[in-house]
Amino acid sequence: MLHKSLKELPKDFLWGASTSAYQVEGASLEDGKGPSCQDVKEVPEGTSDLKVCADEYHHYKEDIALFAEMGLKTYRFSISWSRILPEGTGAVNPQGIAYYNHLIDECVKYHIEPLVTMFHFDMPAALDQRGSWSNPESVEWFLNFAKVMFANFGDRVKYWLTINEQNMLTLVGPVIGTLMIPAGTKNVLKETYQQNHHMLVAQAKAMVLCHQMLPQAKIGPAPNISLVYPASCRPEDILASQNFNAIRNWLYLDMAVYGRYNNLVWAYLEEHDAAPDFAPGDAEALASAHPDFLGCNYYSTATVGAWKEEADQGKADQAVLPGAEGLFASVKNPYLPRTEFDWEIDPVGFRNTMREIYSRYHLPIIITENGLGAYDTLGEDGRIHDQYRINYLRQHIEQLRLAVSDGVEMMGYCPWSAIDLISTHEGMKKRYGFVYVDRDEFDLGTMKRYRKDSFYWYKQVIASNGDDLDDLK
Ligand code: BGP
């Protein structure tokens, strides 16, 4: 669709940036924090552990001041469950509450709207030992954690996100270090989707609780949504793309919005004796929850063809998922360039994805992640010339403006990441931030913060409400 002129973005558009607790905070066992699954996992060879990260725990004042200087209207961060409840349930850690109170107050001081993710890949290790999300009690564990957060921070936090990328937890949990399948499990697919079901019920109950406790607040899910393209117009490829769209995307949004399982996914799970068991009341709980908006992380699209035995199973992560027997085979999209870390770059796919989401669900969308992981270097001039990141973000914001002109209701855009932090499985060297942190993979350096070129550029974008996307003068 061609537009003669582009629609303006809303005046209160939430320009922001994102991080997550376990990737940015550090202080992993400090001030009463209990270990999370991320603190006890074996990190991939050659990558940093998660003990110090960007040390935001000790630098939050400086960091929030930088975000304010950039003009952020919102800062998306997550709350570490085991910093608040070291054992996952039971005693609350007052120092954990104090930390997030300070962080939120600092945001409020600069008129930055806190956008809080309740769970971002960091199950308390104590709960993993009790069966993690396999345990039906996990629904109540999460609800209790939600209640503590709403009670302590709800007076200042208006926007909440439930579970970050639940679809990636389910599809590639082991790569991120999260999926804990109890030893001796016979039907791993069933166990995985039983965990997924518990998360879906936990999310639904948390949304209802949020609306009860905080009538002014708004809450939504935060899956990673990538439209899945068919490799060709061959009808079998179309079926494959429908299969993967259902498993990767629509399962999560259909459930969050309509409170029911996607029929293709359900049929697939039944076929493999893997349909999750419902506890009494689950169906009602799922149907009773209504998100106010949809948070979506977008990095790229995916492309699939009909399943074939010799399909490339290759490496898997959030952007590159392997095929699934009988359903689809992942293929490389020959039209798309790739990042230094081999993730496809598809700005037009961003528009495609937003259009598809909005036409299915008709709820406002906030992009909770989008960004470019790259090997940034601090130059002799003390600058980081990340023109490649500016180019990437510009192309995506252009498409966002087009999507808005297509009639998609967009409420915000939060690139990943506000500041350099540790990647899920590729270490510190894969940087995403607007702010450079002076540390290496293993050498903790000075931890000094540097504004990258993209920092100044994004500041200009925000100041013009998305009109001025030109290079810096
Ligand atoms: C998303 C996660 C983030 C983040 C980002 C970049 O899947 O929600 O936590 O890290 O992807 O991924 P990576 O760190 O693997 O490059």
Side-chain angles (χ1 to χ4, degrees):
M1 193 185 299
L2 292 175
H3 297 289
K4 292 201 186 80
S5 62
L6 293 184
K7 281 194 189 134
E8 293 288 315
L9 293 180
K11 291 281 166 262
D12 56 356
F13 189 77
L14 289 170
W15 292 102
S18 298
T19 61
S20 88
Y22 88 90
Q23 294 172 281
V24 77
E25 283 178 4
S28 65
L29 295 177
E30 228 173 287
D31 290 343
K33 179 179 172 292
S36 79
C37 61
Q38 299 294 343
D39 301 314
V40 299
K41 79 176 182 188
E42 204 176 306
V43 296
E45 212 186 319
T47 67
S48 165
D49 61 33
L50 296 136
K51 291 194 178 94
V52 180
C53 301
D55 202 22
E56 190 175 80
Y57 190 80
H58 297 108
H59 290 256
Y60 70 91
K61 285 198 178 189
E62 183 186 350
D63 292 348
I64 303 291
L66 281 164
F67 303 160
E69 182 188 325
M70 201 167 25
L72 294 197
K73 310 286 184 208
T74 188
Y75 173 40
R76 176 195 179 218
F77 58 90
S78 77
I79 291 187
S80 154
W81 189 339
S82 61
R83 197 181 287 290
I84 298 285
L85 293 153
E87 297 289 319
T89 58
V92 171
N93 173 25
Q95 290 162 291
I97 299 284
Y99 171 66
Y100 291 110
N101 270 330
H102 294 322
L103 184 68
I104 292 166
D105 286 346
E106 210 59 24
C107 290
V108 172
K109 179 169 124 190
Y110 292 107
H111 307 290
I112 296 175
E113 198 73 63
L115 170 60
V116 171
T117 315
M118 300 162 70
F119 180 69
H120 194 126
F121 298 165
D122 54 355
M123 192 67 161
L127 295 182
D128 263 356
Q129 281 167 12
R130 293 167 67 187
S132 192
W133 290 105
S134 284
N135 188 332
E137 287 177 27
S138 55
V139 173
E140 289 309 312
W141 300 339
F142 184 70
L143 214 55
N144 173 58
F145 171 44
K147 194 186 257 175
V148 174
M149 286 188 281
F150 296 152
N152 282 280
F153 312 125
D155 57 334
R156 287 150 294 155
V157 176
K158 193 167 140 206
Y159 294 99
W160 298 86
L161 295 159
T162 54
I163 298 179
N164 179 68
E165 295 196 356
Q166 189 184 323
N167 51 345
M168 294 302 120
L169 287 176
T170 300
L171 292 166
V172 286
V175 181
I176 309 168
T178 50
L179 191 71
M180 218 287 294
I181 297 289
T185 299
K186 290 208 175 66
N187 186 340
V188 173
L189 188 69
K190 170 145 178 128
E191 198 56 45
T192 302
Y193 279 88
Q194 190 64 53
Q195 292 201 358
N196 190 58
H197 179 77
H198 291 147
M199 281 188 256
L200 292 171
V201 177
Q203 162 173 274
K205 290 191 172 183
M207 292 200 281
V208 170
L209 183 70
C210 179
H211 289 139
Q212 280 167 359
M213 288 180 68
L214 309 171
Q216 308 300 322
K218 293 185 187 303
I219 188 163
N224 174 319
I225 302 297
S226 294
L227 195 61
V228 181
Y229 299 150
S232 77
C233 52
R234 195 161 68 109
E236 288 78 5
D237 289 347
I238 310 291
L239 281 176
S241 71
Q242 290 176 334
N243 289 340
F244 193 34
N245 263 311
I247 285 175
R248 191 196 187 292
N249 300 318
W250 313 141
L251 160 60
Y252 299 89
L253 291 176
D254 285 1
M255 186 55 92
V257 178
Y258 303 129
R260 55 171 157 68
Y261 271 95
N262 177 283
N263 60 295
L264 293 182
V265 177
W266 193 260
Y268 161 69
L269 294 177
E270 277 187 326
E271 187 69 33
H272 291 81
D273 193 22
D277 300 324
F278 274 55
D282 280 3
E284 294 74 14
L286 291 168
S288 65
H290 302 289
D292 302 290
F293 61 88
L294 300 177
C296 293
N297 296 351
Y298 173 86
Y299 286 89
S300 188
T301 46
T303 306
V304 300
W307 166 257
K308 43 182 185 258
E309 289 298 333
E310 65 280 15
D312 176 17
Q313 292 296 296
K315 70 160 198 174
D317 64 17
Q318 308 97 298
V320 190
L321 286 136
E325 193 171 346
L327 290 179
F328 63 88
S330 292
V331 300
K332 290 188 174 170
N333 187 328
Y335 298 101
L336 300 178
R338 291 165 171 266
T339 72
E340 290 175 314
F341 288 83
D342 216 23
W343 285 17
E344 289 173 348
I345 302 177
D346 188 4
V348 177
F350 186 36
R351 180 182 179 191
N352 296 337
T353 301
M354 285 180 282
R355 286 159 60 121
E356 189 68 22
I357 295 170
Y358 192 70
S359 67
R360 289 179 68 99
Y361 305 106
H362 296 279
L363 282 172
I365 300 170
I366 180 163
I367 297 303
T368 39
E369 288 182 30
N370 171 236
L372 179 73
Y375 295 100
D376 296 339
T377 47
L378 176 61
E380 302 265 305
D381 56 356
R383 300 282 297 265
I384 299 90
H385 300 297
D386 57 343
Q387 184 62 37
Y388 38 88
R389 182 166 295 107
I390 294 174
N391 296 342
Y392 176 100
L393 294 171
R394 177 195 296 115
Q395 289 171 353
H396 284 79
I397 296 171
E398 279 168 0
Q399 296 298 322
L400 185 149
R401 299 265 339 243
L402 287 164
V404 168
S405 302
D406 294 335
V408 177
E409 201 182 338
M410 299 295 302
M411 59 183 265
Y413 177 68
C414 300
W416 185 266
S417 50
I419 185 166
D420 287 345
L421 38 67
I422 310 275
S423 144
T424 58
H425 61 292
E426 295 183 290
M428 186 69 203
K429 59 188 160 304
K430 188 183 192 186
R431 294 175 186 261
Y432 283 88
F434 292 111
V435 175
Y436 182 90
V437 177
D438 180 33
R439 62 157 285 185
D440 288 340
E441 205 61 58
F442 300 108
D443 177 353
L444 294 179
T446 64
M447 286 288 167
K448 196 169 166 235
R449 274 61 175 148
Y450 292 85
R451 296 162 185 80
K452 299 184 192 176
D453 286 357
S454 58
F455 175 104
Y456 298 105
W457 178 81
Y458 194 43
K459 181 177 177 170
Q460 160 191 305
V461 172
I462 297 174
S464 65
N465 202 25
D467 275 344
D468 187 357
L469 303 178
D470 291 347
D471 277 341
L472 292 165
K473 276 80 196 169

